[in-house]
Each structure stands twice: as C-alpha cells, then as structure tokens.
Amino acid sequence: MPEMHFPWLELSILIPLMGSVLVRLPKNREFARKLCVAICVLTLACTIGEFWDFASLDRFEAHDHGGLLSYLFRQGLFVVDELSAPLFPLTALIFLMTFLSTLKTKLDRFSLSGTLVSESILLATFSCRAGWLLVVLLALGTLPPLIELAYRRREGIRVYAIHMGLFVACLIAGWALLPSEAYTMDAATISSKLTFRFLLSGALLTIAGLIRSGVAPLHCWMTDLFERATLGTALLFVVPMPGVYALMRLVLPIAPSWALQSIAILSLITSVYAAAMALVETDARKFFCYLFLSHASLVLVGLELVTAVGLTGALCLWLSVGLSLSGLGLTLRSVEARMGRIDLSRFHGLHEHTPILAGLFLLTGLASIGFPGTIGFIGTELLVEGAVGVYPLIGMAVVVAAALNGIAILRVYFRVFSGTQFSATVSFMAKREERFAVLVLTLLIIGGGLWPQPSVASRYHAAKALIQKRLDQEVSHPPPES
Amino acid sequence: MTLETSIHFFGVMVVAAPAVLLSMLGLSMLFGIPLSEKSTSRLTQSSVAIGLLAVLSILLLMLWNGDRHLPIEMGNWVSIQEQHFHFHLKFVFDRLSIPFTILTFVLCGTIGAFAKVYLHREPGYNRFFLLYSVFLLGMVVSSLAGTIETLFFGWELVGLSSALLIAYFHERQTPVINGHRVWSVYRIADAAFLVAALTMHHLTGGGDFDGLMGSGPWPEGVASIDPHAALVVGLLLLVAAAGKSGMVPFSGWLPRAMEGPTPSSAVFYGALSVHLGAYMLLRVSPLLDVSFPLRVCVIVMGAASALFGALTARVQTDVKSALAYASLTQVGIIVVEIGFGFHYLALIHIIGHALMRTLQLLRAPSLLKDYHTLEDAIGGHLPQTESIIRSPQRGGSPRLYRFCLERGHLDAMIDRFVVRPFEKTFLWTGEMERRWTRFLSGDRSPQVDQARWEHPSINPEPRETTTQRTATQPITTQKRMSATVLTSGQLSTRENSDA
C-alpha cells in the first residue's frame, strides 16, 4: 500500500488532542476560544494537506507516513482511502466553524477542551478501517456528550446512556462474534457451523450502526440529546455521521444484498417520517434534529443501494449535507445565542436584525435539499436516480422526503426571520468571525454547486472502487447460505 | 467572426446577462457592501438591455440564415460517462423559445423600470432586485432550456423567487403565510417534475428534448416513445404545469400570491410565471400527439381551470384577486388550445395576454384612485355592468355565489383533507415519541435556558418554552397549540375571502 509523504493523519489527530490540554491553561475563556480556533486552523491545514497528498497519489488507499503513533503501535495504524479522504477536511472545517461562531455568552457552557477531544476521536475514527481500534474509537466517541450532560449541565442521561450503551454493546458483541477473517475469508471458511454466528454478528453490527445513525424507531436519543446538550455539542456529535461510517466499514463489505436493501428501505421510511416530523415540529432544535435525521437517512439509502449511481449520490450527499446542515445548525445556534430557545409556533421577525444569518439559513437550507446551483443539487439528483433505478416505486419516497424537507425549511425560515416586527435593545448583528464563517460556507456551497464535476468524479471513483471490492469478495468469498 | 461563432457568443450573452446581474447583486449583499438604488437599477437595466439585444441579434441572424432551430451547446455540466449520467447544458433558440425570451426581457425590463420608482426608499429595495434577478435568470433558463434538467434548474429558481417575493413585506404574517403556501404547492409540482424528468431519462436515455421529440424543429417534432410512456410522463408534467400555473386543483394559491408588491405580482402572476406551465406543455407538445388520453386530460384540465377562473373572477371584491382569476381563465384557454394542437395560437395568446395583464396589474392601484376622482367629479357612482354571477340579494343562486366567493373551496379542501390529517398524524406520533422518551428518562424533563427566555430586553413577553410545555402539560394543551398552528393557514384563507 502506498504511503503519504507526511504524517498528515497523525498530526491532525494529535494537534486537537494536545490542544485540548493546552486550552485548559488560560483563565481567560475568550483567549482560550481563540486558541481553539488556531488549533482548529492547524488541524484543518493538516487535513487539507492529507486530501491533497492523497489525491496526488491517485490510489484507492494509502497509509499515513510513519510517525510517533506508528512507531509506538505498528506501521499502518491510520489509513486513508477514497471514502474517508474528504471526510477529514469536512470534519475539521465543521469543528473550526463551530468554534468561530461560539459567542462569549456561550463559553461557560460549551466545553472547549472536550470538543477538541471529540474532534481528535472523530478524525481518528475516520482514519480507521474495520478493526478493534475502530470499535474502541466509536465507543469512545460517545463519551464527551455523556460527560457534558452528566457533569456540566446536570441533565438526565438515561435516554442517551441507554441507546449509546446498546450501541456499544452491539458493536463490541458483533465484532467479537465476527470471525476474525470475515473481511478476507473465502467461501470454504464460512462453513455451515459458522453461519448463525456470522449472521448474528452482522445483525448486531447493523443494529449498532442503525442506532448511531438514528434510524427509526431507534432515534429518540437524538431528539433527547438536542434538547439537553448544548447545541454545538449535539451538532458535532451527529453531523459528521460516524454511524454511517461505521455501517460503511463494518457492514457493507460483509452484508448480503438483501440485508443492505432492508436497511435502505428502513432508512427510506425514516427519511420520510423525519421530514414529516420536521414539518410539524415547534421547537427549533428538534426541527433541526429531524431535518438532519431525514438527510442522514437519505445518505444511508444511497449507500445501501450498492449501485454506482446511488452510491455516488450518497457520497456526494454525505459531503453536501455535512457542510450545509452544519451551516444551518450553526446559524440556529447563533440565533439561539441571541434569543434563547426558538419557539416555532410563533413568528420572530429577526430578518432586519440579522440579515446575514437569515441569508445563510436560507442558503444552507436550500443546499441541504439539493436546490439547483448549490452543492447538494447533483448529489440529490444522483441519489434519486439511483433509488428509482433500484426501486421504481419505493424510490419515489426520496422525492417525497426532499419535497417535505423543502417545505419545512422555508416554514422555519419564515417563522424565525419574518412575520412580525421585532425590537431589541441590543445589537443582533453578526460578529466579524461569524461573518467570516458565513462567507466561507457560502463560497463552498455555491462554488461546489456551480462546479460540481471534480467532486462528483472523485465520489464516483470511490463508489466504483467500493462496489468492486464488494464484488471481488462476493466472487471469491460468497456469503454464507442459511 | 463567423456566423456560428456570433450565434454562440450571443447565445451565451443571453444567459450570462441575468447570471452576472444575480452574481453582482448577491456578492454585494454577501460582502456587506450595499449598492445604492441608482446602481442597482442601472445594473438591472444594463443586464436586461444586453440580454434583449443579444436575443434580438440571434433572431436576426436566424432570419438572415433561414434557421428555425439553433441549439447552443454548453457541454456537460456534470457527467459520469460509464453510467450514462450527464447533466447536459443546452439552450435552444427556436420559434417557441425566442418569442418567450424576448417577452421575458421586455416585461422584466418594464417591471424593473416601474419598480425603480414604485419601491423608491423601500427598506427592501435591494432584496427585491436580488429576487427579481433570480426570477429573470430562472425565466431565461427555463425559456431556452434544451434539456429537461436545464428546464428544471430554471423552474426551481422561478419558484423560489416567487415564494420569497410574495413574502416581501415580511414584517406581516399574512404575506409570509401565503408565500409559504405557494412554496408548498410549488414543491409538490417540482416533485412531479423531477419524477417526470427521471422517467424521461429512463425511457430515452437522456433528458435532451431532441431525444424525446425527434429531431424536427418545434412544433413539428415527433415524440419517439410509446403511448403508455407518453401518458405517464405527460401526466406528471401536467401536474407540474398545473402547480406552476395555478390550474385546478391548485388554484387556491393564485390570490394568495397577490400579497407581494405590485411589480412582482404583475410580472409573476399576470405575465410570465403563470404562463410557465403552459409554456412547458408547449415545449413537450409532441407528447400530446402520441397519447390521445393525455390530450383529453390536458383539455379537461384547461377547460376546468378556465371555467373556474371565469366564474370566480366575477365575485372577487379586490382588483388583484379578480385579475388573478382572470389570468387563470386565459391560462386555462391557452391550455385547451395546446390540447387541441393549436400551438402557434397558444403562443400568440400567451404573449398577448401577458402584455395586457401586466398593464392591467400595474395600472390597477392608480385606476381605483382615478375612478374615485371621477366619481367625486360627477357626484355619483359610475354605471356598473351586471355580473353573470349575482349575489342572492340580487336574485342569484346562493350556492353558486358562495362557491365562487369561497373560490371553489379548493384551499379549504386541501386544508381539510391533506394538511389537517397530516398534522394530526405527525403531532400524534410526536407526542408518542415524547411519552416514550419521558418514560426512558424516568420523567426527568430537560432544563432549558430560562434566564435568556425571560430577559426583558430580548423577549418582552416571557413565555414558557416548548420543552417545558411538553414536559408539564397534558396532551390537550398540545392539541390546542397545534390548532393555533393549523388555523394560521386558514386565517389567511378567511382574510382573503373577506377581502
């Protein structure tokens, strides 16, 4: 396997990890936040370096260049491939934007060091392929929100703990039960005596992935988390979609087609259901949660279709949804920082006070539903085409979900930013750093929408390679017969 | 410069002019550098003038050369060759698109000049022109689209700008609610359009209209698909057209759309947007030749819309609503003409009607004032013509009068049979979710940011949050809340009816 020219992955994991210790030192919280921003900029630079270096290699996968961690553990601890390569800069960017848009008033509640630890864990997760390390990192990733709920906010943790406990239990049990050679085994090895064990482990891993992704009816932890945790923490825990990543790494290579298609149909149902819930929800946080659930489920639909077009659409959508919904979520967070919790059963009329946030809300919302000219357009088109190609009638549900999401987004835009005259004694205008975040997001969303070919070509290449790997495995190692 | 290069240059200019306008207005807002009213209007005028001159140049070159069909290839915007997926950017200049594009530029130019004065010193002046540029680009792209994907691109831009312009006076609730209602109808129409585009892809291997209609210039192309497929695609496109043009059963949004400023009402619902559905039917008219049932459906829908519009327009008590339904009558007749295959008649009807209706809508506010002045001068009411739909007091049928006054109960039916069951179902599932979460959490409800909610400078009327209400109050209160949400839509219906 080729090696990158610099230990990009290791650095992008270690910088936020060390930064999490560093930001605890200054007593001035605003200075600590600025330090966080600097750390995130460095991390983002490393992830962009990784993306560029990997692209220059023109291979499906590559090892990180040998560094400290590789020396301590073993060569090839961190790997990047075409699936994960763009997820690193995306994740780093989402974290950077979150720190940039954190206002002074929220610094007492938002854990800076905990968030940097989360970033480190998440980046490490995305640099792992199927293995115990991935299982451990996925489990570890559930801890920062738990700590915030239990110790910083003194909130009830039972709903979150029950679901995440089940997730970790299924993950560990599934991985432990899975034959060690499952990802390399041939047909002879998967003998009849292993069939039940194989199926059970696959089912447990699938359940784990579905819980983490919030597929209905296992999604209640997500709405609960959005109600109880800080909005920043909740956003960062779900928007990069590590649950989808887990399913891609752990389940996709070994699951039979019928199982994947079942997951796709479950995701499709979740997508429509969540879109409908977003349309009637009266709490802005829960609205965002359902909107995200609907989009994340659409990504899952595409991934489980296992067709080149559907998979390409899903991979494109993964990036566009990550970018646009993090922008939308951060906009809501900025509005919330000025207003408190947003009640959608009435109008707030904030447009005159925060025109920039209003514009960003609309832009990110439209990008998430795949409006023409935005980054989500081609991904949505590909996904719809892929879904309709596999399920001519059921696939239309993707169109229904997209339509409902579109109606929901404009409804909330109108509720938050119009409908009444609002007067405030303090300025609601966007701060300089918020403006910068808005500018970057807008340029990425519009730029990606007007010039989509490079992104689509790269995602298609990744989709083709993933399907080819799966086909190779099916040819040389057919799945077990029941 | 060769003839071919000239045509390509002018073709690009036609689309580039509104695109540049949009990007300049958008970037100025993004970077927080507001343009003056003068700069905005000059930019708009220049863009419209350049676009109009370019399309007129193409027309002259085509007449000179004797061409009837000139495709301008912009290449593949996105392409996955192995999967035969491509988003092909192609614009077609032919007997259908050129008149419609000229009409678009002429009317948008007129409206731009009118709005410059009409909206002088309005706080949302630049916002209006930004949305106007989105609309102009959407209309030009839709008019010239050579593939169904390109048409969809423009179609969506027109829809978004419509909804946001209806909600232009966004400090009031009614325009906002109406804008959202129109957007909802558009999304349903767009969904039908998207499915039609996909079906067309599967049937013909691409979204190019040439692939569907054969190679003949409009309107002589022959569709190359079988009658059943033509019926399916055609019906989906008919739903999309009905949504966009406010035909039955989607007509309820037409009077709501009049909440926007007069210039946008004129250009959208009197002139261009309301005809976009009919234009699309004209573009795919060879489909109608293949499927007789589809032709019948088009005629029936057009006739129903025309009849409904004609009856309803006669009892409206505000001039903009009356004009909106009068527009619907004409659109219905145009669709009937398309159904019967009178393509050129339909095109001429669209152009004539758009011009006349724009004038009427722009004149409407001052006309009322002139009437009042005249009545004051003569010391009495001007003679009024008797409407064919008379009120019960004047001996008319109460049922018919009520039916027309309530606009065929179309909005009420959508509310009753679609919106309310939908909301009821998902509010119930939401409540079940809440109960389940509460059970899992051991009845420990989330804390909320009470201090900020009650901050007097920010929230003059402190109120409990949704989450608290959820946790502490019974389901009946929730139902009352949802009823408040529900009635906001009905409220505007009633307000419109009362108007």
Side-chain angles (χ1 to χ4, degrees):
Chain A
M1 192 186 293
E3 192 176 79
M4 287 194 285
H5 300 96
F6 203 71
W8 300 112
L9 295 179
E10 197 174 302
L11 279 175
S12 57
I13 294 163
L14 284 178
I15 288 172
L17 197 61
M18 291 192 293
S20 68
V21 179
L22 203 63
V23 295
R24 297 184 77 92
L25 301 178
K27 285 187 178 172
N28 182 337
R29 298 290 289 162
E30 180 57 15
F31 178 73
R33 188 190 69 85
K34 284 182 179 166
L35 202 59
C36 277
V37 171
I39 290 163
C40 283
V41 169
L42 267 179
T43 312
L44 178 65
C46 286
T47 55
I48 291 172
E50 164 272 323
F51 188 65
W52 175 78
D53 195 350
F54 176 71
S56 69
L57 292 175
D58 198 22
R59 296 292 179 90
F60 176 70
E61 54 190 2
H63 277 302
D64 200 19
H65 188 79
L68 180 66
L69 289 178
S70 300
Y71 175 76
L72 286 177
F73 296 95
R74 60 187 170 88
Q75 183 71 22
L77 192 66
F78 298 121
V79 178
V80 61
D81 63 12
E82 289 201 67
L83 170 69
S84 60
L87 296 178
F88 293 100
L90 175 71
T91 307
L93 182 70
I94 294 172
F95 275 83
L96 172 62
M97 292 296 157
T98 308
F99 281 118
L100 270 177
S101 60
T102 302
L103 297 183
K104 276 183 193 171
T105 50
K106 288 286 173 186
L107 283 177
D108 291 338
R109 297 162 215 189
F110 185 62
S111 168
L112 298 175
S113 63
T115 308
L116 285 175
V117 172
S118 296
E119 180 176 11
S120 182
I121 293 172
L122 201 55
L123 287 171
T125 307
F126 287 149
S127 59
C128 286
R129 289 188 301 181
W132 270 113
L133 185 60
L134 177 61
V135 171
V136 170
L137 285 168
L138 281 167
L140 272 180
T142 60
L143 291 180
L146 191 73
I147 293 167
E148 181 184 297
L149 287 176
Y151 299 106
R152 290 185 73 91
R153 293 179 69 82
R154 313 258 176 225
E155 279 280 6
I157 57 164
R158 278 176 59 172
V159 179
Y160 179 81
I162 288 169
H163 283 88
M164 287 304 115
L166 194 61
F167 161 65
V168 173
C170 287
L171 196 64
I172 292 173
W175 185 255
L177 283 173
L178 198 70
S180 55
E181 64 281 12
Y183 295 96
T184 53
M185 69 170 62
D186 55 27
T189 316
I190 308 171
S191 56
S192 57
K193 64 177 181 179
L194 285 177
T195 300
F196 176 72
R197 188 178 156 187
F198 189 92
L199 284 175
L200 183 65
S201 62
L204 287 170
L205 289 172
T206 306
I207 292 169
L210 294 180
I211 293 173
R212 186 66 176 83
S213 305
V215 169
L218 303 167
H219 65 285
C220 290
W221 67 269
M222 215 184 261
T223 49
D224 188 69
L225 180 70
F226 269 86
E227 281 192 298
R228 293 175 192 270
T230 58
L231 189 49
T233 303
L235 269 174
L236 294 173
F237 187 63
V238 300
V239 171
M241 299 186 221
V244 175
Y245 184 79
L247 280 169
M248 284 299 288
R249 288 293 189 219
L250 301 174
V251 179
L252 185 78
I254 57 166
S257 297
W258 59 264
L260 292 178
Q261 288 177 358
S262 308
I263 299 173
I265 290 178
L266 262 180
S267 309
L268 210 50
I269 294 167
T270 305
S271 178
V272 177
Y273 173 74
M277 288 300 292
L279 196 49
V280 299
E281 186 53 58
T282 53
D283 176 52
R285 282 188 175 204
K286 287 177 79 178
F287 152 76
F288 177 82
C289 177
Y290 284 121
L291 190 72
F292 170 77
L293 256 180
S294 178
H295 283 93
S297 304
L298 283 180
V299 173
L300 259 182
V301 171
L303 295 177
E304 309 304 342
L305 290 173
V306 203
T307 62
V309 172
L311 199 53
T312 309
L315 294 178
C316 288
L317 209 60
W318 193 339
L319 301 182
S320 68
V321 164
L323 194 65
S324 53
L325 283 190
S326 57
L328 187 82
L330 290 175
T331 311
L332 277 179
R333 183 169 175 254
S334 293
V335 173
E336 211 181 69
R338 292 159 167 80
M339 293 275 300
R341 292 279 176 103
I342 308 161
D343 177 10
L344 299 177
S345 61
R346 67 191 182 101
F347 291 89
H348 297 276
L350 291 177
H351 189 282
E352 296 308 322
H353 299 273
T354 59
I356 288 186
L357 292 181
L360 184 67
F361 185 96
L362 195 59
L363 182 69
T364 50
L366 292 173
S368 72
I369 58 166
F371 195 79
T374 63
I375 194 169
F377 180 50
I378 296 297
T380 308
E381 289 272 309
L382 282 163
L383 182 67
V384 172
E385 179 136 344
V388 173
V390 176
Y391 309 108
L393 284 176
I394 302 173
M396 301 291 178
V398 176
V399 181
V400 175
L404 291 175
N405 282 329
I407 298 171
I409 280 165
L410 214 66
R411 168 181 166 265
V412 174
Y413 169 78
F414 284 141
R415 295 266 160 173
V416 176
F417 295 103
S418 61
T420 186
Q421 279 188 323
F422 179 78
S423 60
T425 53
V426 290
S427 170
F428 275 28
M429 295 305 282
K431 304 282 183 285
R432 195 181 56 187
E433 287 175 323
E434 285 178 314
R435 281 168 180 262
F436 177 74
V438 168
L439 189 68
V440 171
L441 280 171
T442 307
L443 292 178
L444 285 173
I445 287 171
I446 300 282
L450 295 180
W451 195 36
Q453 181 63 33
S455 157
V456 171
S458 136
R459 297 299 79 202
Y460 175 64
H461 203 247
K464 220 169 59 169
L466 286 168
I467 289 173
Q468 192 55 47
K469 281 190 97 176
R470 193 179 144 77
L471 285 176
D472 290 347
Q473 201 157 319
E474 273 181 8
V475 171
S476 60
H477 330 294
E481 290 174 13
S482 53
Chain B
M1 195 185 269
T2 63
L3 186 69
E4 202 172 306
T5 323
S6 307
I7 287 174
H8 194 87
F9 172 76
F10 288 125
V12 172
M13 288 296 287
V14 176
V15 184
V20 169
L21 174 69
L22 172 60
S23 54
M24 290 183 82
L25 296 180
L27 285 174
S28 78
M29 279 200 168
L30 179 66
F31 287 104
I33 312 164
L35 295 173
S36 65
E37 284 192 11
K38 203 173 174 183
S39 310
T40 305
S41 66
R42 278 196 180 163
L43 269 174
T44 307
Q45 283 166 356
S46 312
S47 163
V48 172
I50 291 169
L52 182 61
L53 284 175
V55 73
L56 286 173
S57 306
I58 288 185
L59 176 63
L60 288 175
L61 288 172
M62 285 175 77
L63 289 172
W64 177 267
N65 212 29
D67 283 326
R68 284 181 56 188
H69 181 87
L70 270 178
I72 305 275
E73 296 281 353
M74 302 271 189
N76 282 327
W77 190 35
V78 177
S79 155
I80 306 175
Q81 293 296 344
E82 290 172 35
Q83 300 296 323
H84 306 292
F85 178 90
H86 54 262
F87 197 109
H88 192 188
L89 273 185
K90 180 180 167 187
F91 297 103
V92 172
F93 291 85
D94 60 11
R95 289 186 177 191
L96 177 62
S97 64
I98 288 186
F100 205 71
T101 311
I102 292 173
L103 178 75
T104 300
F105 278 117
V106 167
L107 287 179
C108 282
T110 311
I111 294 297
F114 181 87
K116 178 185 149 191
V117 180
Y118 188 85
L119 294 172
H120 179 53
R121 290 188 178 171
E122 271 282 330
Y125 186 93
N126 283 343
R127 182 160 49 91
F128 175 87
F129 276 96
L130 178 71
L131 295 173
Y132 165 95
S133 65
V134 174
F135 172 74
L136 178 62
L137 179 64
M139 277 307 300
V140 170
V141 169
S142 305
S143 310
L144 297 173
T147 64
I148 200 155
E149 296 94 346
T150 317
L151 179 56
F152 183 70
F153 193 110
W155 185 271
E156 289 272 69
L157 292 181
V158 170
L160 178 70
S161 54
S162 295
L164 293 177
L165 273 172
I166 292 164
Y168 175 80
F169 298 111
H170 57 196
E171 66 284 357
R172 290 190 287 119
Q173 276 188 26
T174 316
V176 167
I177 289 167
N178 289 337
H180 186 244
R181 174 61 79 107
V182 174
W183 172 252
S184 305
V185 175
Y186 278 177
R187 291 306 296 173
I188 292 162
D190 294 347
F193 195 117
L194 190 58
V195 176
L198 280 171
T199 314
M200 193 169 142
H201 255 278
H202 282 283
L203 292 171
T204 63
D208 204 315
F209 286 127
D210 286 347
L212 184 72
M213 309 305 168
S215 53
W218 184 87
E220 288 149 22
V222 179
S224 51
I225 58 174
D226 68 86
H228 293 296
L231 181 62
V232 172
V233 175
L235 284 178
L236 285 166
L237 290 175
L238 187 59
V239 171
K244 198 60 138 193
S245 290
M247 287 189 273
V248 173
F250 301 110
S251 312
W253 67 256
L254 261 180
R256 291 172 179 269
M258 294 299 164
E259 285 285 352
T262 296
S264 70
S265 302
V267 78
F268 281 93
Y269 314 108
L272 297 173
S273 179
V274 79
H275 288 120
L276 199 54
Y279 175 83
M280 194 256 284
L281 289 177
L282 269 180
R283 176 56 76 197
V284 299
S285 55
L287 277 179
L288 306 184
D289 300 331
V290 177
S291 170
F292 181 72
L294 178 61
R295 189 182 282 276
V296 173
C297 290
V298 170
I299 292 169
V300 168
M301 183 169 271
S305 301
L307 184 66
F308 175 72
L311 292 175
T312 312
R314 278 165 172 75
V315 298
Q316 297 305 307
T317 50
D318 70 293
V319 67
K320 280 173 91 176
S321 293
L323 287 174
Y325 280 109
S327 285
L328 178 62
T329 309
Q330 297 304 317
V331 170
I333 295 170
I334 290 166
V335 171
V336 171
E337 289 161 5
I338 295 169
F340 279 115
F342 304 134
H343 301 124
Y344 287 114
L345 179 64
L347 182 59
I348 293 164
H349 195 159
I350 286 176
I351 294 169
H353 175 237
L355 292 169
M356 185 205 70
R357 199 66 71 195
T358 305
L359 178 66
Q360 280 186 334
L361 275 162
L362 293 183
R363 182 77 176 91
S366 53
L367 187 74
L368 286 178
K369 190 169 173 282
D370 291 352
Y371 266 38
H372 290 146
T373 311
L374 201 58
E375 284 179 341
D376 285 347
I378 62 175
H381 287 294
L382 287 165
Q384 289 185 339
T385 51
E386 190 69 39
S387 170
I388 56 164
I389 311 287
R390 281 179 301 217
S391 63
Q393 288 89 344
R394 295 187 180 184
S397 157
R399 274 193 186 177
L400 183 62
Y401 186 78
R402 176 98 192 262
F403 176 83
C404 297
L405 195 64
E406 296 283 346
R407 294 152 182 178
H409 305 285
L410 288 177
D411 260 10
M413 279 196 284
I414 290 174
D415 278 340
R416 187 173 173 188
F417 296 114
V418 180
V419 178
R420 266 184 249 170
F422 180 91
E423 287 195 324
K424 209 174 168 184
T425 305
F426 289 102
L427 284 170
W428 179 81
T429 56
E431 180 55 29
M432 289 301 108
E433 271 190 28
R434 271 186 281 273
R435 285 186 182 186
W436 171 242
T437 314
R438 214 182 305 160
F439 167 73
L440 286 182
S441 66
D443 268 345
R444 192 172 165 192
S445 56
Q447 297 167 23
V448 288
D449 196 352
Q450 189 70 21
R452 284 200 67 79
W453 261 110
E454 291 178 352
H455 196 291
S457 67
I458 291 170
N459 205 2
E461 293 172 16
R463 49 182 294 175
E464 53 192 358
T465 62
T466 311
T467 42
Q468 281 181 315
R469 193 163 44 234
T470 303
T472 54
Q473 293 190 355
I475 187 167
T476 44
T477 319
Q478 285 291 326
K479 281 182 178 169
R480 273 202 295 277
M481 264 175 60
S482 64
T484 317
V485 180
L486 279 167
T487 47
S488 57
Q490 297 157 349
L491 182 68
S492 58
T493 318
R494 238 171 268 138
E495 280 169 0
N496 279 328
S497 306
D498 293 342

